[in-house]
Amino acid sequence: MKKILFKIAGKSIPIIIGDGICSKASISKYIDYKDVAIITNTKIAKLHLKNLEKYLKGFNVKVLILPDGEKYKNISSLNKVHDFLIKNKFNRNLTIIALGGGVIGDLAGFASDTFLRGVNLIHIPTTLLAQVDSSIGGKTGVNHKYGKNLIGSFKHPMAIFIDTSYLKTLPQKEYISGLSEVVKYGAIGNKVFLKWLNKNSKLILARDSGSLIKLITNSVKAKVSVVQKDEKESNIRAHLNFGHTLGHAIESSLNYKGISHGEAVSIGMLFASAISVEKSDLKIDEFNLIENTLANFSLPVRIPSSITCAKILQNMAYDKKNKQGKINFVLLTSIGSCGLNDHISDRYILGLLKTFQS
Ligand code: NAD
Ligand code: GLY
């Protein structure tokens, strides 16, 4: 078991990592009163709800099971959560437990910040992506028809339980999707880590337990270190959006169906790396290392042919990083070093998008 203390906004949030670390003793320590609301979805409820309920014996526990999928990460689902909390007459002594991947975490996190102006939250992330990224850093939110995560807040939990035993039921496609955000940490901040990912891809794909703990711990440390320096994304936190300018536009262009967040980010990272070679000094061998690592993990790097480049460009205009109407990219100057760039013309973007279409 590993414990990382995430010091943020005057709080010290324990991030507990290990195989089988969720238990009655470990979780109940972070619940201040009797009332607990578990928010999860149909798929995760079938697999993991019973055990969590066992750990919460003695508490007044109510469960809301939402439909599964990114397309349900919207205001209407948030309303459902609020309705459920209000109908159950919960008060400010409530603790919400988000049991799920990034969709449930972002949605339940937002509900915990907005219900009665804020109640306690615990994250129990069940996908690799949520364990290495979305459960950490306090970003919550829902999608809007014009763009990803356009409505949300910053809300930190009381504790984060990264229990790798949940990954045993995670389909390989979703596991690989999570690896995309892991590659991101290497590309933007740690060349040694990226090389390790590249060299050990077979062990990682086989979910070798030592490799898994190492990649999760390195990723969590990378995220914590960036967010501790810039909680509200005034500067360097935006670097965590490497690959997301195109990634988010692909997701919204597809109405959040048919592609996972990690897959869309993978395409976006190679796209941003290609721009980086031409406009920001990234060396070809560094581009190749990124491309090769994504390929080793069988992550996609081509834009689905069902979307037009014009539609993608149009949706990039809603990206949260944009300022004064200009599309902002996170570009690499080398592996491990990056910055924001809003000098890439629409014409250039459109031309490059065409070369990325499958
Ligand atoms: P997800 O939550 O949709 O989970 C992926 C799939 O795996 C779903 O079908 C889910 O039901 C299933 N699943 C979850 N845990 C499982 C388990 N243990 N066993 C079997 N199936 C399981 O998607 P995700 O990839 O976890 O998260 C993507 C979301 O995270 C996006 O909405 C993205 O915007 C958000 N995100 C947020 C942040 C942040 O900082 N808040 C960072 C990165 C991504
Ligand atoms: N995943 C981007 C961030 O947390 O800022």
Side-chain angles (χ1 to χ4, degrees):
M1 194 263 267
K2 284 177 197 275
K3 187 166 163 181
I4 294 170
L5 282 184
F6 175 26
K7 295 201 164 81
I8 192 88
K11 289 178 166 183
S12 186
I13 301 162
I15 304 177
I16 300 149
I17 307 171
D19 185 6
I21 44 99
C22 281
S23 68
K24 184 167 172 56
S26 62
I27 299 173
S28 57
K29 249 186 14 203
Y30 299 98
I31 304 175
D32 289 342
Y33 303 95
K34 282 271 159 214
D35 288 346
V36 175
I38 301 172
I39 315 290
T40 190
N41 75 24
T42 44
K43 195 180 283 173
I44 302 155
K46 265 189 214 134
L47 296 163
H48 300 295
L49 182 59
K50 254 198 196 134
N51 266 339
L52 180 58
E53 284 179 317
K54 259 193 234 155
Y55 304 149
L56 296 169
K57 274 219 172 100
F59 290 94
N60 169 38
V61 180
K62 294 280 186 298
V63 182
L64 178 65
I65 301 175
L66 293 166
D68 180 25
E70 181 77 40
K71 66 174 192 254
Y72 297 105
K73 186 179 155 185
N74 54 29
I75 281 287
S76 148
S77 297
L78 182 72
N79 277 338
K80 276 193 193 160
V81 182
H82 286 152
D83 286 352
F84 159 81
L85 299 174
I86 293 164
K87 277 185 190 154
N88 277 290
K89 300 191 174 64
F90 283 125
N91 60 38
R92 286 206 171 116
N93 293 342
L94 174 68
T95 295
I96 291 182
I97 298 184
L99 176 71
V103 167
I104 287 293
D106 282 11
L107 188 60
F110 194 25
S112 79
D113 201 27
T114 44
F115 176 61
L116 302 178
R117 298 202 176 87
V119 296
N120 284 348
L121 170 70
I122 290 176
H123 275 304
I124 305 187
T126 61
T127 61
L128 180 63
L129 186 138
Q131 297 193 340
V132 296
D133 192 350
S134 63
S135 65
I136 305 146
K139 280 190 181 174
T140 78
V142 293
N143 302 327
H144 185 274
K145 66 177 174 189
Y146 288 136
K148 274 274 301 176
N149 300 332
L150 293 186
I151 303 156
S153 70
F154 288 96
K155 161 84 181 185
H156 295 286
M158 305 294 287
I160 304 167
F161 291 91
I162 299 183
D163 189 334
T164 54
S165 71
Y166 285 115
L167 302 183
K168 286 175 190 146
T169 59
L170 191 68
Q172 189 69 351
K173 185 177 154 57
E174 294 300 342
Y175 176 75
I176 288 173
S177 171
L179 289 174
S180 178
E181 300 278 16
V182 178
V183 171
K184 174 187 81 181
Y185 293 123
I188 64 169
N190 190 338
K191 189 168 186 176
V192 175
F193 184 45
L194 187 64
K195 282 185 168 167
W196 177 83
L197 290 171
N198 183 284
K199 205 167 153 207
N200 292 281
S201 55
K202 285 206 174 106
L203 274 178
I204 292 167
L205 283 172
R207 309 189 195 194
D208 162 68
S209 59
S211 307
L212 192 56
I213 293 288
K214 175 169 172 167
L215 80 82
I216 291 174
T217 309
N218 276 13
S219 301
V220 169
K221 283 184 179 162
K223 177 120 192 203
V224 162
S225 153
V226 171
V227 179
Q228 281 182 165
K229 289 182 197 122
D230 176 25
E231 185 200 0
K232 298 274 168 74
E233 202 169 308
S234 316
N235 43 70
I236 63 159
R237 184 165 182 173
H239 298 174
L240 294 173
N241 273 305
F242 175 59
H244 288 56
T245 308
L246 174 59
H248 281 169
I250 291 174
E251 287 185 270
S252 59
S253 301
L254 288 170
N255 291 322
Y256 310 107
K257 283 179 273 194
I259 193 160
S260 71
H261 177 68
E263 288 167 345
V265 166
S266 169
I267 303 165
M269 285 195 291
L270 200 70
F271 186 76
S273 302
I275 305 178
S276 302
V277 171
E278 290 193 10
K279 309 274 187 191
S280 167
D281 294 336
L282 185 73
K283 302 220 165 40
I284 275 289
D285 62 321
E286 296 184 295
F287 173 90
N288 290 342
L289 176 62
I290 295 169
E291 185 175 40
N292 190 252
T293 310
L294 297 172
N296 284 353
F297 291 140
S298 304
L299 277 160
V301 289
R302 314 303 302 171
I303 297 168
S305 55
S306 56
I307 341 167
T308 66
C309 297
K311 175 81 181 162
I312 293 173
L313 188 66
Q314 190 189 326
N315 283 349
M316 278 182 182
Y318 294 109
D319 191 85
K320 288 192 298 305
K321 293 186 298 304
N322 296 348
K323 299 222 166 68
Q324 277 118 29
K326 289 184 171 167
I327 296 173
N328 235 318
F329 283 94
V330 179
L331 298 185
L332 303 171
T333 43
S334 63
I335 289 176
S337 159
C338 59
L340 283 170
N341 187 318
D342 66 359
H343 290 86
I344 312 298
S345 72
D346 286 5
R347 195 156 159 250
Y348 175 89
I349 297 169
L350 208 51
L352 193 62
L353 282 173
K354 285 183 183 146
T355 71
F356 265 73
Q357 271 211 305
S358 50

